[in-house]
Amino acid sequence: MEEDPFAVLSDDLLLFIFNKLDTVHLCYIALVCRRWRYVVGQQVRKVHVLVLGKSLKQYFHIPNGRQILSIVRFFSELEVLSFRNWPWMERFSEVASVVMRELRSTTLKKLDVGGLPVQPIDVWALGYNCPNLYSLKLGGCSTVDDEFVKQCVRRLRPHLKELDISDSTRITTAAVKFAFENGVVRLKASRCKRISGALVINHVPKGNESRDDEHCLTLTQCKNINWFHLDRNLRFATINLSQCTSLEYCHVYDDALQNLHLSGCRNLRVVEVASSSLKVVNLFSCTQLSEEIVYKLIKSCPALTEINLAGLYFASHVQQWLLENRLMNSLKLG
């Protein structure tokens, strides 16, 4: 019997060699023998992010659920799992659903389904098998609607803090309100055509509810919103309503607000903000705003350090007003 040439190599040297391999190859060589599995295990502990996208195409013609599950389960300390750019969308689009039902991980924190179709029952299994998941990206998923979002939030709370439902054609304003009322602090719902009309968020947090996380709302390119209103001091740090071309009125009464982005809202007529923490305002190409509205905004936000008025005909007048009031050193005019 020929002597195994790898037997003379130390574990450190094997680990150095295995470092040159990608994640899929590591899964295969771990099946060779116990020693190799142990050595690969030392390397795998360092792998916290796994993207099951186009990189798999060189290894599989068409993978099955068992193969994908074996790869995912191999990484015992996985924190981030993504199906973004999945190459077998037509032949094996249910892969995210299969993994969500069968995966069991106490380390998984973030999951991106990559626009693949998933069902509410998948989320129920995920909430039971992955108890520490706090970020879920469902953007582009055709099966997501208001009821789906409500079930996700109910099942995954209180750990779920980040939710991405962008490009969801069936999402309405009700889903946005429900998410914030039930513990989600960072919500992205860009390009959702059915989020329309007036979006009013005035949920009052409960006395024992922790509000230490930074709250962010992103509704860019939601072109059917015409009125946005937020109050009751919900502690939003960032609000981004850029390219909401139908938006006419924006009222924000949140003392924790630091960044407000309204660029490209070409029909915006009124901006009323009451915040002692507001630092940055972007009003690029908000051509319907008047000088009086901008002056009032600057005066009502004492912590303001930067305002972008590019594309507004009266930007030079505001600059002169700032100089006359000796505010130019403390406020940057874009």
Side-chain angles (χ1 to χ4, degrees):
M1 181 180 294
E2 296 182 2
E3 184 179 355
D4 181 10
F6 290 97
V8 299
L9 300 180
S10 65
D11 289 353
D12 291 338
L13 189 53
L14 279 177
L15 185 57
F16 175 78
I17 297 173
F18 293 162
N19 276 332
K20 307 298 182 180
L21 303 177
D22 55 32
T23 53
V24 178
H25 273 128
L26 287 174
C27 294
Y28 282 121
I29 65 174
L31 302 176
V32 174
C33 63
R34 291 183 179 179
R35 185 189 176 210
W36 281 30
R37 183 171 184 85
Y38 170 78
V39 174
V40 170
Q42 305 303 307
Q43 170 64 14
V44 166
R45 292 193 184 101
K46 302 177 183 178
V47 178
H48 299 297
V49 180
L50 181 59
V51 180
L52 295 174
K54 294 181 179 179
S55 61
L56 291 179
K57 202 166 185 178
Q58 57 182 314
Y59 304 105
F60 301 106
H61 175 58
I62 301 177
N64 55 48
R66 184 177 180 181
Q67 290 172 322
I68 298 301
L69 273 173
S70 64
I71 292 175
V72 176
R73 288 171 175 171
F74 185 73
F75 301 95
S76 57
E77 297 187 10
L78 193 65
E79 295 182 1
V80 180
L81 177 61
S82 173
F83 293 92
R84 188 63 54 184
N85 297 320
W86 182 250
W88 299 282
M89 183 67 74
E90 295 182 358
R91 299 186 180 183
F92 189 28
S93 60
E94 67 275 11
V95 58
S97 181
V98 172
V99 172
M100 289 171 67
R101 293 187 191 188
E102 301 295 332
L103 179 63
R104 290 171 175 79
S105 173
T106 58
T107 61
L108 188 66
K109 297 179 180 179
K110 297 183 178 182
L111 175 63
D112 182 359
V113 303
L116 297 172
V118 294
Q119 303 299 327
I121 190 174
D122 305 329
V123 177
W124 279 89
L126 190 68
Y128 182 78
N129 297 327
C130 302
N132 294 316
L133 187 76
Y134 73 82
S135 176
L136 182 61
K137 293 186 177 181
L138 300 171
C141 182
S142 59
T143 56
V144 173
D145 56 13
D146 288 354
E147 187 60 31
F148 192 115
V149 171
K150 292 178 181 179
Q151 292 191 34
C152 282
V153 174
R154 290 192 189 105
R155 181 59 179 169
L156 299 177
R157 66 182 179 189
H159 298 289
L160 185 66
K161 299 299 181 182
E162 299 179 4
L163 183 62
D164 186 343
I165 49 177
S166 300
D167 301 295
S168 300
T169 58
R170 302 164 64 187
I171 290 295
T172 68
T173 306
V176 176
K177 294 180 180 179
F178 185 87
F180 280 121
E181 291 174 358
N182 289 272
V184 175
V185 299
R186 287 179 286 277
L187 177 67
K188 185 175 182 180
S190 301
R191 299 175 297 278
C192 292
K193 297 180 180 179
R194 294 190 64 186
I195 298 181
S196 59
L199 178 57
V200 181
I201 304 177
N202 57 4
H203 170 62
V204 180
K206 298 178 181 179
N208 59 351
E209 187 175 351
S210 175
R211 309 293 292 184
D212 297 332
D213 298 301
E214 181 179 283
H215 286 49
C216 300
L217 173 62
T218 302
L219 294 172
T220 57
Q221 300 181 49
C222 290
K223 298 182 179 181
N224 295 318
I225 298 178
N226 55 39
W227 182 30
F228 179 81
H229 179 88
L230 183 143
D231 66 359
R232 306 291 181 93
N233 197 22
L234 291 179
R235 299 185 184 176
F236 276 83
T238 301
I239 295 177
N240 191 341
L241 300 172
S242 300
Q243 302 299 323
C244 292
T245 52
S246 296
L247 186 67
E248 297 183 11
Y249 304 94
C250 180
H251 305 269
V252 181
Y253 306 102
D254 195 331
D255 202 48
L257 183 66
Q258 299 181 21
N259 302 282
L260 179 62
H261 301 280
L262 298 168
S263 62
C265 297
R266 57 176 180 264
N267 289 314
L268 186 63
R269 300 177 183 276
V270 177
V271 179
E272 292 185 0
V273 180
S275 173
S276 60
S277 304
L278 186 63
K279 298 179 181 180
V280 179
V281 176
N282 189 347
L283 300 174
F284 175 76
S285 294
C286 296
T287 54
Q288 297 298 320
L289 288 177
S290 64
E291 291 184 59
E292 292 75 18
I293 292 294
V294 175
Y295 291 146
K296 183 179 179 180
L297 175 64
I298 295 174
K299 292 177 181 178
S300 62
C301 302
L304 193 63
T305 59
E306 181 177 346
I307 183 170
N308 188 346
L309 299 176
L312 278 68
Y313 71 92
F314 56 83
S316 59
H317 299 168
V318 176
Q319 185 174 13
Q320 181 63 31
W321 177 79
L322 293 173
L323 287 171
E324 293 175 356
N325 289 271
R326 297 182 181 181
L327 298 174
M328 205 61 184
N329 292 332
S330 59
L331 181 60
K332 178 182 177 182
L333 184 64

